[in-house]
Amino acid sequence: MSAQAHPPVVLYDTTLRDGSQSEDVLFSAEDKLRIAKRLDALGLDYIEGGWPGANPKDDDFFRQAKQLKLQKSRITAFGSTRRAGSKVEEDQVIKGLLGSGAQVITVFGKSWDLHVSRALGIPLAQNLELIFDTIRYLKRHVDEVFYDAEHFFDGYRRNPEYARQTLQAAYEGGADALVLCDTNGGTMVEDLRRMIGEVTDLGAPLGIHCHNDCELAVANSLAAVEAGVTHIQGTINGIGERCGNANLISIIPNLKFKMQRSLTLDDEDLTQLTAVSRFVNEMANRPTQKNQPYVGVSAFAHKGGIHVSAVLKDASTYEHISPDLVGNQQRVLVSEQAGRSNLIYKLEELGIEGVDAKDPRLTELLLDVKELEHQGYQFDGADASFQLRVWKALGELPNYFELLGFRVIDERRVRKDGQHPMGAEATVKMRVAGESVHLVAEGAGPVDALHKALSKALRRDYPMVTELKLEDFKVRILGNRKGTEATVRVLIEWYDGRCRWGTVGVSDHIIAASYDAMVEAVKYKLFKDKVKPV
Amino acid sequence: MSAQAHPPVVLYDTTLRDGSQSEDVLFSAEDKLRIAKRLDALGLDYIEGGWPGANPKDDDFFRQAKQLKLQKSRITAFGSTRRAGSKVEEDQVIKGLLGSGAQVITVFGKSWDLHVSRALGIPLAQNLELIFDTIRYLKRHVDEVFYDAEHFFDGYRRNPEYARQTLQAAYEGGADALVLCDTNGGTMVEDLRRMIGEVTDLGAPLGIHCHNDCELAVANSLAAVEAGVTHIQGTINGIGERCGNANLISIIPNLKFKMQRSLTLDDEDLTQLTAVSRFVNEMANRPTQKNQPYVGVSAFAHKGGIHVSAVLKDASTYEHISPDLVGNQQRVLVSEQAGRSNLIYKLEELGIEGVDAKDPRLTELLLDVKELEHQGYQFDGADASFQLRVWKALGELPNYFELLGFRVIDERRVRKDGQHPMGAEATVKMRVAGESVHLVAEGAGPVDALHKALSKALRRDYPMVTELKLEDFKVRILGNRKGTEATVRVLIEWYDGRCRWGTVGVSDHIIAASYDAMVEAVKYKLFKDKVKPV
């Protein structure tokens, strides 16, 4: 069925509001503004910014959001219906919502009779008034008002009549969409589809807001669209309370490429999905989920030898769409399951052509890599460490410098005033350009001190090393659980103003692992910049 | 509809085979055996162990699996149909499968005409023979044979006739189930349901094997069951190639509690789900996914003040099932979004009753926690650090000892023989029991050296500190991206033979952060063991 046959679907992002209720997530007002700009560049229709009046950080956000000059997205304020017993024009929450300056407001109300009686402690009819009043009042002041029917599906299951009445009250009040919320995330797909089918006769635009407690939020959102819903609420990467919200990053390509739905986003906008996903994870200080659908680093990564040879002949054998449609890329992994195809693919990626599949250096490299992986090295995410070994195996890696030794001293002294500053000092002894260099540097911590000492030692002969910045530093304790003596793997990500790359170090000593990863990063920098060894 | 109305569903686990093709995962044969035992204790019907004959590690597994004495699970061997042109009784793959000793064998074959022509390069009819031959032959030698129809849905979409014929060939060969595989993970739920509906007339038991490339593997598996499938293949935690396989940990409770399907597992078995999920992640050396449905640490964690007061009154307001049904637990988080309800809940958890909601110490504690979280502390996962602050706020934490200073020296010397061992030495100066103690210890790394020095310093007066073992050590770089000077958060998990707890340290110096977390672990140990300060 062509795109024209179905009505367009609008995308409503609640990363900044519902998403921020995720256990791990802590957004400052500045983080929220940066994310809002990025989501606008992507082209989402609505961005729910928070609950103004409930939270000073959110008031901050709405105040500054007025200066944002967004191109496509409309900022939305979120809050509750007025309190029972208060007049809507005097209600503090309502005043807070209007005070935010947002031209779109979403209010949530109770659709489950039990909650009305127990949580609110008011008669069922009075709840309908709250909903109607609030929305009608807000509609006089702003462009759009959405109604979030909290616990809709649980409420509809217990008392379908009442749940419908709450929707009707909101619609009569003038709501621009009635958003059915699976607040507890416990509804099965077929049940959800059926229940939505029973309220489409209200004639109102319907929305859907799912949670992922049964791992069905995406499926439920898509089923809702099939049932006639035209407004989907979700978050980037599905972050949110408990198991998270519906993941817009999966929903968007499913809607566009699989279900041929018309969105505000065009095909080119979708190529930003991978970048947007990573950006929000960085802002949320959240580890990336490697196997995340569509945009994960592993989403188009092929490991087994058989898969690799097949996918290199014909990508459709193991890829359901082309990765560049969502801004991702195909990857061939080097691992113990790798075969020669994997290795030759990687070599070609590095611009090394014409290596014979039977070349003994290839065999040695493959064995070397498998052995290192066995010890705990992980070349995925540390591609530079792998590449160095390739160049070394092919006899192309020069001897840039030689380490003679290093020492790092970390010291904490407790002063009389009770302060106990911590310092780190690294001394490094190297041979560079035939000369022995021995020097010292201070740092915020041991890795920083070592990095500074290494730069100091090399920069006279290799000034480009000062461009190297450490971007991310991950430490994992590996398999052999021997407490503080366990093997440590350090994965470091670097950036030199132009490129990003990762290196890995493995040792039972965290400083040794960090040093190894650091030195590989420097050598990689020198090799890729085609620097001649002094 | 009652459980009796639907046929029972069997669960087929491929964690050890398909799961091991996940980018991050590396199972040794011993790991696989341990996992098999654990999955048997859970009660899964089939455990696919690997591809014998293709992989020495898998041969190892099958050989040793014979001694496993499993109670419920049947070990399955996986492999391809015979090669075109070879006689089934002489085919190497088939010999390998039979040589494994497994009494259940699963073979995969091509159901997509394009793959038969292109990848295999044989006539379509010959492929049907391969399938028929292989299964018929295997059925003479083992109890059960399953047929995995690779790329079934993509193949059926292009040439439904041929896809059916491949299923028929397998069924006529005697296959005990025809497993429809969404190999590329790209099929939408309604399409999948429809296609399954069109092959149920074959009268064969059907199975389903989904991949999560569209975040629909669980939904697809459940829809398949609704369409008549009685055999589900998946992995623990959904690990697997690219975006992973269908996650059995989500599927099982959905089937039992939401869809009232009959499984071999009973309600009590399901209470093991959380533990099994964590066990497999440990074996796979994979970070736990905090927001994983049902079993994630955050699955029943409540953060926002409003949610917390509601859920404490009535858990059904924000919990779709009771967490203990799957062996998980409710958690109330302390964070900047916390209100007094959160804090009082936590205090009661600690056995501290009767603290007035208006107690000024509570206010101070709440502010202290919010400020620390702002700096980067994370008390979730570091409950001991939080508890220490509670006891301190209530004036109950004794002064066990006093740090006067410490120094850690990490040194690498490059020897003449090219070896470059790395050492670590820590000196610690403390006041314990009125005396000044100054001593030194060596370690495998700086944190190990510090731990040993600290133990050495305290063990005369507090001998129980030697029970403390470091179990896990996580380092995260926090928000402010200043390269090697970034703020570091260290989360350490401890075990003393009876209890496990976590502590957190935050600093721009990784050793300082580690030291702080270590000292808190020691103080927590002494306080919980009710040790009197000397």
Side-chain angles (χ1 to χ4, degrees), chain A residues 332-406:
Chain A
V332 166
L333 306 183
V334 180
S335 77
E336 48 143 33
Q337 294 189 21
R340 284 168 190 285
S341 302
N342 299 51
L343 216 43
I344 291 180
Y345 178 99
K346 295 295 273 181
L347 294 178
E348 282 172 11
E349 244 188 0
L350 298 179
I352 300 165
E353 311 252 335
V355 175
D356 189 344
K358 295 190 181 39
D359 190 327
R361 292 176 299 178
L362 205 63
T363 309
E364 224 184 282
L365 180 57
L366 200 52
L367 289 170
D368 182 36
V369 162
K370 290 184 179 199
E371 174 52 37
L372 287 169
E373 283 228 338
H374 192 67
Q375 290 175 26
Y377 282 80
Q378 188 184 297
F379 292 106
D380 310 309
D383 215 56
S385 288
F386 170 72
Q387 293 185 38
L388 280 174
R389 284 170 176 73
V390 169
W391 295 322
K392 200 168 177 195
L394 298 175
E396 291 181 26
L397 186 70
N399 259 345
Y400 294 108
F401 52 83
E402 193 192 336
L403 174 71
L404 300 173
F406 71 76

Side-chain angles (χ1 to χ4, degrees), chain A residues 114-123 126:
Chain A
L114 216 64
H115 284 198
V116 176
S117 315
R118 222 182 265 182
L120 296 185
I122 60 176
Q126 203 180 331

Side-chain angles (χ1 to χ4, degrees), chain A residues 44-75:
Chain A
L44 299 182
D45 302 286
Y46 299 92
I47 296 172
E48 193 173 73
W51 188 332
N55 194 324
K57 224 200 291 192
D58 286 354
D59 292 332
D60 237 355
F61 169 80
F62 284 102
R63 202 175 17 85
Q64 297 187 62
K66 293 174 187 160
Q67 269 88 54
L68 271 185
K69 293 190 185 19
L70 301 180
Q71 304 292 315
K72 289 186 169 173
S73 312
R74 274 154 286 182
I75 298 282

